[in-house]
Amino acid sequence: MSLSRLEKRFANLRAEGRGGLVTFLTAGDPDLATSLEIVKGLPAAGADVIELGMPFSDPMADGPAIQASSLRALKQGMSLRKTLDLVRSFRAENQDTPVILMGYYNPIYIYGVETFLSDAKAAGVDGFIIVDLPPEHDDEFCLPALAQGLHFIRLTTPTTVGERLPKVLNNTSGFLYYVSILGITGTAAAAQDVVRDAVATIKAQTDLPVAVGFGIRTAEQAARTVEVADAAVVGSAIIDKLKEYLDENNRPKPGLTQAVLDYVRTLSEGVRSARG
Amino acid sequence: METPNSYKNGPDERGHFGIFGGRYVAETLMPLVLEVEKAYKTAQADSSFQGDYDYYAKNYVGRPSPLYFAERLTRELGGAKVYFKRDELNHTGSHKANNVLGQILLARRMGKKRIIAETGAGQHGVATATFCALFNLPCVVYMGATDIARQAPNVFRMKLLGAEVISVKSGTGTLKDAMNDALRDWVANVEETFYIIGTAAGPHPYPMMVRDFQSIIGREAREQILEAEGRLPDQLVACIGGGSNAIGLFYPFLDDKEVAITGVEAAGHGVDSGEHAASLTGGKPGVLHGNRTFLLQNEDGQITDAHSISAGLDYPGIGPEHSWLHSMGRVDYASATDSEALDAFQMLSKIEGIIPALEPAHALAHVCKIAPKMDKEKIILMNLCGRGDKDIFTVAEALGVKI
């Protein structure tokens, strides 16, 4: 069986003996053109996996940074259809870097699950993280996605690492995303030894790579994360960087793309220096 | 569509009423939602839980609430006899106390140390703050910044009762945003915190649990009307935002096929105006706040803002059981506009000496439409689920009166 783009990426990381960097940005923030420019620059800046947020009006599991980011994108007319357009444009230039779409179920449900899956696959999407679809609702979207050969990545949390873990691992594919703290995105980071123990517990039950996120803001934190996990996920901190380059009307100021990519590069250097 | 043997069997073990309901929440919350469900099942089987509920319902809330024959109103409308279930006489001024009492007793059984709630008009927030004072539990109420501005008396009440009121500025600063922030708080404080949801919505088991606690309304009303009239009513009417007072009245009557049932949504400036809160009339099925139900949303699946003069009905969704009853055709769903509700509000004050909340004023507006067309032998039973003291400022402003 041939490996998917995402599996290949993690296999290569393993072969190189280094941890990966997963970067999160909201598709269409601050606008479609700028967002595409940033996404196109991410692989060269060192992002190993690109996670793109599908903007939603009510992002219940996200903190202020990603909420605001989502609303900025929507205000500029972003939609699920345009998110797929963005991936298609990126994929025309890059066939190697996996793209994961992250978001909430309602826009997909309204788009139509089967149509969405085939459109997303054609656009070059590799997998999904749908925050409000727990294993109890796998028949809705997870199983149809797997049937299309797309990945369904699940979040596990400190409340999952117990009797629920097998249930969460079942039907998860690509990698597992360990949310290191209880809470919404953009809050404090967890202690390394706590993360190490949690990752060990997960690894005892699955061969899937484990990415760890929530609260990572510096190259050093990213480095410490990949000392105990297969990849570090950084989201809110990148969005905060992007926000520094918005004017009072949320329009991009000169240098925004460069600043965001420079920041990603420092994170990537942190990750690459970690196990060396 | 096949008619079920009973309309009272839902939800199934996954929390579904037909395609509606469910548990669409982040993984962080799943263990907690499952824990609440388990604790609720155990509590239901424990007679001491019911005993505690009955004790406080009688001695603290003031139940049973009377069933009142509105004689002057009936004469004025010239048709069916109109009865009110007087849930506005409950302690804290609305039906919300029935639910908060049940959930806070459950929270205590679970050993939770902190209570959070969302509120729109402030009625649920006040009820939650009240019971937190009674049981000495810290209370945090999330309330949209817009609602805080238009419901100042209730904000002050909650603070007097010792609650912390957090102003929610995200989104449009109304009930849905308050619920988003309450869910965010819960995700971050899962160990100690119990989330008391105010309406029959949210992830399973909340819609079922809230319905069960509110069904005391319908159970009492059923007994009371049998005593007063020797028969069941011909028509039930209740207003619907999330729909907890309505499901509470309707549920015990669902299998009485001779009883027609109507829920009244808030039509704001009119369902065609785009500025309304009528999820069933003007929305379509979607997934939000843990359940699949009818939602106001655009073609991209983004949730749109609701509008109603009544902050308690100003929510873009509706409880999943109502969506199911709508799809099965068991309950009819109508709507009343802001101005129809305002007229009904004033009329009831003058004719019966009862100042209703703006929420049941919507139900009353519907009663005013249908009663005159019905025979004098017919009986309408309406849930008067809240009193209007909190609304006098809003109404004065709408009428151009300075107080």
Side-chain angles (χ1 to χ4, degrees):
Chain A
M1 208 177 83
S2 69
L3 292 183
S4 71
R5 189 155 31 216
L6 188 61
E7 289 162 337
K8 241 182 259 168
R9 179 53 48 107
F10 276 105
N12 290 345
L13 288 170
R14 211 170 299 134
E16 287 175 44
R18 70 171 179 94
L21 175 66
V22 181
T23 58
F24 175 92
L25 280 158
T26 302
D29 176 28
D31 57 60
L32 185 54
T34 310
S35 182
L36 178 60
E37 191 179 64
I38 299 169
V39 171
K40 282 182 173 174
L42 285 172
D48 297 300
V49 175
I50 294 172
E51 211 186 289
L52 277 180
M54 300 176 273
F56 183 49
S57 52
D58 295 80
M60 276 98 60
D62 285 298
I66 296 179
Q67 287 173 42
S69 163
S70 208
L71 292 180
R72 282 196 297 269
L74 289 174
K75 209 164 179 188
Q76 291 298 316
M78 202 58 189
S79 65
L80 192 50
R81 207 166 288 281
K82 287 181 186 169
T83 298
L84 295 182
D85 291 344
L86 191 156
V87 177
R88 196 176 298 110
S89 306
F90 169 77
R91 200 47 90 211
E93 295 181 9
N94 180 309
Q95 282 80 54
D96 303 321
T97 303
V99 174
I100 308 298
L101 296 184
M102 178 165 182
Y104 297 80
Y105 183 44
N106 196 55
I108 294 172
Y109 178 67
I110 295 305
Y111 195 109
V113 167
E114 289 301 334
T115 321
F116 175 72
L117 283 170
S118 63
D119 289 359
K121 192 175 181 179
V125 172
D126 299 285
F128 308 94
I129 301 174
I130 309 298
V131 179
D132 52 356
L133 284 178
E136 280 74 4
H137 288 296
D138 271 359
D139 51 338
E140 292 249 356
F141 181 79
C142 169
L143 296 178
L146 296 178
Q148 291 264 5
L150 293 163
H151 292 288
F152 192 81
I153 294 129
R154 247 194 274 271
L155 304 177
T156 65
T157 71
T159 57
T160 325
V161 182
E163 59 186 39
R164 252 188 94 72
L165 188 56
K167 187 152 199 170
V168 169
L169 288 172
N170 185 34
N171 293 330
T172 298
S173 77
F175 66 94
L176 203 76
Y177 183 166
Y178 179 67
V179 173
S180 57
I181 50 143
L182 290 176
I184 48 178
T185 51
T187 31
Q192 193 194 32
D193 53 340
V194 177
V195 176
R196 186 196 308 270
D197 290 349
V199 172
T201 307
I202 296 166
K203 289 270 188 185
Q205 295 187 41
T206 180
D207 294 330
L208 288 173
V210 178
V212 174
F214 276 41
I216 301 172
R217 310 195 73 88
T218 66
E220 201 204 343
Q221 286 173 325
R224 279 209 306 273
T225 302
V226 297
E227 279 165 12
V228 298
D230 298 294
V233 188
V234 185
S236 299
I238 300 179
I239 287 168
D240 286 344
K241 178 57 70 181
L242 179 149
K243 200 179 159 219
E244 280 175 31
Y245 284 82
L246 295 178
D247 67 18
E248 62 277 13
N249 298 315
N250 287 326
R251 304 307 311 137
K253 291 194 265 196
L256 181 147
T257 301
Q258 197 54 48
V260 171
L261 293 176
D262 285 347
Y263 177 62
V264 169
R265 195 168 289 113
T266 64
L267 293 169
S268 158
E269 281 159 6
V271 162
R272 280 159 207 265
S273 70
R275 300 182 199 160
Chain B
M1 195 175 296
E2 207 180 319
T3 308
N5 293 327
S6 170
Y7 288 96
K8 292 161 80 172
N9 292 338
D12 66 17
E13 70 283 357
R14 294 168 71 209
H16 284 116
F17 302 91
I19 67 160
F20 302 102
R23 279 183 287 228
Y24 299 86
V25 294
E27 183 55 38
T28 323
L29 285 182
M30 265 320 281
L32 208 69
V33 165
L34 295 170
E35 189 195 342
V36 172
E37 185 192 357
K38 203 170 142 196
Y40 178 56
K41 271 190 189 151
T42 315
Q44 272 182 308
D46 182 346
S47 61
S48 77
F49 181 74
Q50 194 56 52
D52 287 350
Y53 185 94
D54 293 344
Y55 174 82
Y56 288 104
K58 178 170 178 237
N59 298 297
Y60 190 70
V61 178
R63 300 210 73 91
S65 67
L67 183 75
Y68 168 70
F69 172 45
E71 208 174 341
R72 272 199 76 195
L73 176 71
T74 298
R75 225 178 302 131
E76 189 77 16
L77 295 175
K81 295 172 84 168
V82 179
Y83 279 84
F84 291 136
K85 179 62 174 160
R86 300 283 309 270
D87 253 52
E88 101 279 12
L89 294 175
N90 290 340
H91 182 42
T92 77
S94 78
H95 69 289
K96 294 293 186 188
N98 307 331
N99 168 47
V100 173
L101 169 58
Q103 288 197 50
I104 207 161
L105 289 175
L106 186 63
R108 274 160 57 92
R109 280 177 71 100
M110 293 173 74
K112 298 293 179 184
K113 302 274 184 264
R114 174 176 176 266
I115 301 293
I116 59 169
E118 86 294 338
T119 197
Q123 292 304 91
H124 175 58
V126 167
T128 305
T130 298
F131 280 96
C132 284
L134 178 65
F135 291 117
N136 193 25
L137 286 165
C139 177
V140 176
V141 178
Y142 288 89
M143 188 167 182
T146 311
D147 289 337
I148 283 183
R150 60 178 169 173
Q151 295 288 341
N154 271 343
V155 175
F156 185 61
R157 266 182 206 118
M158 286 184 270
K159 288 181 178 166
L160 277 177
L161 293 160
E164 183 188 350
V165 180
I166 296 184
S167 171
V168 176
K169 295 182 185 73
S170 62
T172 48
T174 58
L175 182 53
K176 83 172 170 81
D177 307 295
M179 197 152 179
N180 289 338
D181 267 18
L183 284 165
R184 288 176 187 126
D185 179 313
W186 204 24
V187 169
N189 299 290
V190 289
E191 310 281 349
E192 295 274 281
T193 299
F194 190 98
Y195 179 15
I196 299 188
I197 296 183
T199 193
H204 178 65
Y206 281 95
M208 170 181 80
M209 192 162 68
V210 175
R211 175 200 70 198
D212 293 348
F213 292 137
Q214 293 293 3
S215 291
I216 194 168
I217 301 171
R219 286 197 306 274
E220 287 176 4
R222 208 168 183 284
E223 263 180 43
Q224 290 166 321
I225 196 74
L226 285 174
E227 196 185 314
E229 293 279 351
R231 68 179 187 88
L232 294 176
D234 300 286
Q235 173 77 59
L236 299 178
V237 179
C239 65
I240 299 201
S244 69
N245 92 82
I247 202 71
L249 175 66
F250 298 169
Y251 187 71
F253 292 91
L254 286 177
D255 288 337
D256 299 311
K257 299 207 164 47
E258 68 274 32
V259 180
I261 306 180
T262 303
V264 184
E265 296 190 291
H269 297 319
V271 173
D272 298 332
S273 72
E275 293 183 351
H276 61 86
S279 321
L280 289 175
T281 316
K284 56 182 174 177
V287 175
L288 181 73
H289 293 154
N291 63 125
R292 186 189 341 258
T293 193
F294 275 75
L295 298 171
L296 301 180
Q297 53 186 322
N298 69 16
E299 66 290 343
D300 188 39
Q302 309 296 337
I303 309 306
T304 53
D305 293 329
H307 168 82
S308 170
I309 189 168
S310 144
L313 303 180
D314 205 346
Y315 179 68
I318 184 169
E321 195 163 6
H322 286 295
S323 289
W324 180 70
L325 290 167
H326 169 67
S327 71
M328 299 302 289
R330 174 61 185 101
V331 177
D332 290 321
Y333 292 88
S335 64
T337 63
D338 286 356
S339 69
E340 288 169 338
L342 273 170
D343 290 347
F345 179 98
Q346 296 171 80
M347 186 197 64
L348 193 67
S349 304
K350 292 204 174 91
I351 290 186
E352 290 285 352
I354 300 172
I355 301 176
L358 278 170
E359 291 80 11
H362 286 74
L364 184 62
H366 187 74
V367 168
C368 293
K369 288 179 206 166
I370 60 170
K373 297 181 207 154
M374 292 167 71
D375 285 345
K376 291 191 168 158
E377 288 69 43
K378 298 286 185 187
I379 300 167
I380 297 175
L381 197 167
M382 186 197 110
N383 195 16
L384 190 48
C385 64
R387 68 178 86 127
D389 311 42
K390 70 180 173 67
D391 291 318
I392 54 169
F393 301 99
T394 307
V395 172
E397 196 189 318
L399 300 177
V401 178
K402 263 212 153 70
I403 48 176

